Amino acid sequence: VLDGLDELGLLDDLSTEGVRAADGLNLRVFATGEQIRWGFDVLRDLTEHPYNVHLGQDRFARIVLQHLHKHENVDVRWGTEVSGGTQDGDSVTLELSSSNGNSTISSAYVVGADGASSAVRSMFWGRDFDGMTWPDRFVATNVRYDFGSHGFGNANMQIDPVYGAVIARIDDNDLWRVTYCEDAGLPEESIIDRMPAFFDAVLPGDKEYELVHHSPYRMHQRAAGSFRKDRVVLAGDAAHVTNPTGGLGLTCGLLDAYVLHDALAAIIRGDVPADVLDAYSTERRTVFLDKASPSATNFKQLVYHSSDPAMLEQALAGMRHVAGDPDLVRAAQLDLSGLRTPSVVGRGAA
Ligand SMILES: Cc1cc2nc3c(=O)[nH]c(=O)nc-3n(C[C@H](O)[C@H](O)[C@H](O)COP(=O)(O)OP(=O)(O)OC[C@H]3O[C@@H](n4cnc5c(N)ncnc54)[C@H](O)[C@@H]3O)c2cc1C
């Protein structure tokens, strides 16, 4: 992902704004205090970016927007909703509604990148978004607390069937994203009443924390049956959604975009036939179903649902074994690079 952001000229600004986290993944067993670390140093000879960049998605989006505005052919229409759409052999027409009234816009292709409840997907795919919804709820909080002085790494998966959490530093002023899990049957309006008990239990030192933001959300593992319907393609959460344990949601969406922008540009230039969009659809969907979704499900299971001691011990034994061998750490870190798919341009001339 960072290689792609670098190619797009975004990485310097994102790294400056965010936290450059080079220490890798820290697995923490809440009950025993054990920590198992898989560092990124084993990737140094393979990539110029052996680190993660952590920052809130609002700040990420603001930087992307600043860069977009440098292009004369970009037109951002705020407060404008896509409310209908049709396509024929030559173009796609979308109906737009805003406080200024209704209008239409036509183009050769449309990318539906309008999130998990995608209107574009509903219009052109109907209810086709197969998969499942988890019975639990995540609560994503941003809190100010000095986790760092208590031995936390920049990115931590805290393993526990009750106090499981993902805890990641998101700025240099001790702002951390802490995401925990609760039964979705509990009333949403009283999350804030239950929250102090969670933090009382998990904060490693004093219990003085500042809650800056919190939001509950339901999680799904779902994907559209295909990511292309003729001149309309889906990308990001519109195409596939996953629970965010392991951070594979936006990651997969960005990896979709890297393949798609290249393909659409080549089609519009006349360099390749539009059929390359079928390769985009098949390859990105396969990667999501075979790799991203199972990985996120495994991460979720490990972090939040490790209630069987024997199974947990077996999983931990495997992770300790990996941590003790740099070659295995490298292989484990590289495993997720399989979320990338190669460019589909160059698979056939127009
Ligand atoms: C609490 C939380 C934590 C997460 N943490 C991570 C993480 O650590 N790492 C990670 O990789 N992923 C994470 N994710 C997932 C990540 O946020 C999503 O995968 C990502 O936002 C998807 O991006 P997107 O652009 O596809 O869709 P979205 O971010 O949902 O953007 C869709 C856009 O389309 C617009 N839109 C919707 N409908 C219409 C319409 N009809 N007309 C016009 N515009 C419309 C919306 O206003 C929005 O701007 C997290 C998600 C949540 C909820």
Side-chain angles (χ1 to χ4, degrees):
V1 166
L2 299 189
D3 290 350
L5 292 173
D6 201 12
E7 274 175 36
L8 292 171
L10 291 162
L11 187 59
D12 287 346
D13 285 354
L14 291 169
S15 298
T16 304
E17 175 88 11
V19 175
R20 195 169 142 148
D23 53 341
L25 175 63
N26 201 29
L27 298 147
R28 297 176 64 91
V29 186
F30 179 68
T32 62
E34 178 180 5
Q35 300 208 64
I36 302 169
R37 187 164 290 193
W38 292 356
F40 287 143
D41 44 341
V42 291
L43 301 177
R44 275 186 209 290
D45 58 330
L46 288 178
T47 171
E48 286 176 29
H49 314 112
Y51 53 86
N52 279 342
V53 176
H54 297 184
L55 76 168
Q57 209 173 318
D58 53 332
R59 292 155 74 200
F60 181 98
R62 200 170 55 235
I63 290 171
V64 172
L65 204 53
Q66 282 163 4
H67 281 253
L68 269 181
H69 281 311
K70 292 181 191 162
H71 298 272
E72 284 177 4
N73 55 348
V74 170
D75 174 15
V76 180
R77 301 188 187 182
W78 295 109
T80 305
E81 187 185 354
V82 175
S83 50
T86 52
Q87 66 170 317
D88 57 28
D90 301 318
S91 65
V92 192
T93 300
L94 297 179
E95 292 161 26
L96 308 179
S97 46
S98 74
S99 55
N100 295 329
N102 298 336
S103 58
T104 59
I105 185 170
S106 292
S107 64
Y109 293 92
V110 162
V111 180
D114 48 345
S117 306
S118 171
V120 171
R121 191 185 65 238
S122 299
M123 285 162 209
F124 294 96
W125 275 255
R127 296 170 66 85
D128 171 8
F129 202 41
D130 273 356
M132 53 84 78
T133 297
W134 293 99
D136 31 29
R137 165 194 297 139
F138 273 11
V139 182
T141 68
N142 288 357
V143 295
R144 254 180 235 291
Y145 188 79
D146 186 6
F147 283 100
S149 69
H150 295 281
F152 280 68
N154 286 308
N156 309 273
M157 288 193 181
Q158 174 161 290
I159 301 167
D160 192 80
V162 178
Y163 298 112
V166 173
I167 303 175
R169 186 195 293 276
I170 53 172
D171 81 5
D172 290 325
N173 290 315
D174 275 334
L175 188 66
W176 295 70
R177 161 59 57 91
V178 179
T179 301
Y180 64 91
C181 189
E182 66 170 26
D183 187 334
L186 293 166
E188 199 172 303
E189 54 279 11
S190 51
I191 286 173
I192 201 78
D193 302 329
R194 292 186 294 278
M195 194 180 289
F198 172 82
F199 280 110
D200 264 2
V202 303
L203 293 182
D206 70 70
K207 308 300 176 189
E208 297 301 312
Y209 65 97
E210 180 195 352
L211 177 66
V212 176
H213 174 78
H214 77 284
S215 60
Y217 60 101
R218 295 300 299 274
M219 295 156 291
H220 321 265
Q221 306 299 138
R222 293 183 182 275
S226 78
F227 296 174
R228 178 193 183 196
K229 285 260 157 108
D230 302 320
R231 295 179 167 273
V232 182
V233 282
L234 298 175
D237 276 19
H240 45 68
V241 283
T242 176
N243 88 81
T245 323
L248 304 184
L250 182 59
T251 301
C252 271
L254 287 169
L255 295 172
D256 293 345
Y258 298 164
V259 178
L260 191 52
H261 83 79
D262 192 28
L264 281 173
I267 293 167
I268 288 161
R269 281 194 309 263
D271 294 346
V272 295
D275 293 357
V276 296
L277 294 177
D278 289 331
Y280 161 80
S281 169
T282 305
E283 291 173 23
R284 294 309 305 156
R285 186 168 181 276
T286 301
V287 154
F288 177 77
L289 291 176
D290 291 357
K291 195 143 195 78
S293 184
S295 298
T297 299
N298 289 341
F299 282 135
K300 179 177 184 293
Q301 206 63 29
L302 173 72
V303 172
Y304 299 101
H305 310 290
S306 59
S307 48
D308 180 329
M311 281 180 67
L312 174 61
E313 186 44 41
Q314 195 182 3
L316 292 175
M319 292 185 296
R320 285 180 204 118
H321 179 64
V322 169
D325 181 339
D327 286 340
L328 293 180
V329 175
R330 186 172 155 116
Q333 300 283 19
L334 284 178
D335 185 48
L336 283 180
S337 70
L339 295 174
R340 279 188 301 198
T341 53
S343 168
V344 294
V345 175
R347 309 237 181 129

